Each structure stands twice: as structure tokens, then as C-alpha cells.
Amino acid sequence: DRPTAKGLDSCVGVEYIPFGNPLKVEGRVEYYLQDIQDRLIDSLRDILYQSIKSFEAKKTILEWLSATPNQIILTVSLLFFTKDMTQTFKNIAGGSASAMKDFWQTKIDSLTELIDLVRTDLSKADRMKAMCLITLDAHSR
């Protein structure tokens, strides 16, 4: 019986991307590797969609970080930054003199929350995710 691919471990071994459905590894290597890549893309797309929903409904940042792969965290973070920045520009155009300052303060508060988070006892994977998010947020402010 041929092996089955159920997910993908990251090269550093701290992150696992589960496939929605197991994939039978059969046939020529160049074909089944393409099948695995396609399944990974589909799985990441599904995780991205779920993560966008869970980001809006999150109770804590740690809860969201722990349940989400790093590349998805960075994508969702940038997506919401773009959405919030667009709204800030609309608010400025609408006459709000403090819109940019208010958004800046929101970013500072978010960074402070992440900095406080990395000072706690986190797993290696969660600490790495939080540090990547801090870097991204620091550059976007």
C-alpha cells in the first residue's frame, strides 16, 4: 500500500499545515509532488479564509497566533492593515483631523500588546510568529 500525505511540516519543524483530505502518494514522483503542492495551496487558501474570519472574532492575539500558520498571520495582518489604512484615508477626506493620529495610536497599542505577549512564556513557534508580526507592524506604523 502506498503512503498517504496528510499535511506538511515546515522545514524548521515548528509548524504543520494539515491537508483537508489525505492524498495518496502514487505514480511518478514529478506528478505526486505537483499533487502535494496543489493540495498545500488549496489547504492554505482554506486556512486563509478561516483566519480572516477568526481574526475579526478573536478574543486574544495569542489565541489567534497559536491557531494560525505564520505565512497566513502575515497575510491577514497586512490585509487588515490595508483595510484600516484605507478607512483612515476616507476619514481624513471626510474631514476628520485626528484620523491618522487615532490610527497611529491603534498601531502603537497593538505593538505594545505584542511586546507584552513575547515577554510571557510562549512556545518556540508562537514566539516566532509574534516576533514576525512585531516586525511587520513596526514597519507599517
Side-chain angles (χ1 to χ4, degrees), residues 97-110:
S98 66
M100 187 64 75
K101 189 173 185 176
D102 294 343
F103 182 66
W104 179 80
Q105 187 58 52
T106 301
K107 292 303 287 179
I108 294 298
D109 294 344
S110 174

Side-chain angles (χ1 to χ4, degrees), residues 14-106:
V14 295
E15 196 165 73
Y16 177 75
I17 310 295
F19 293 162
N21 299 314
L23 177 67
K24 214 43 153 171
V25 179
E26 53 191 5
R28 296 172 63 178
V29 66
E30 56 270 20
Y31 295 135
Y32 73 71
L33 285 177
Q34 183 63 51
D35 292 342
I36 289 172
Q37 183 177 336
D38 293 342
R39 184 66 56 93
L40 177 62
I41 291 168
D42 290 342
S43 296
L44 287 171
R45 187 177 295 119
D46 292 343
I47 293 168
L48 176 62
Y49 179 73
Q50 294 167 3
S51 186
I52 289 168
K53 288 181 175 180
S54 65
F55 182 83
E56 293 177 315
K58 71 183 180 301
K59 293 178 182 152
T60 67
I61 191 74
L62 178 58
E63 173 187 284
W64 184 69
L65 280 174
S66 296
T68 309
N70 198 24
Q71 59 190 354
I72 300 296
I73 287 170
L74 300 178
T75 302
V76 171
S77 179
L78 283 174
L79 188 144
F80 278 91
F81 169 76
T82 303
K83 179 182 164 208
D84 294 344
M85 197 72 240
T86 300
Q87 186 59 49
T88 299
F89 286 135
K90 287 179 181 177
N91 292 346
I92 291 169
S96 175
S98 66
M100 187 64 75
K101 189 173 185 176
D102 294 343
F103 182 66
W104 179 80
Q105 187 58 52
T106 301

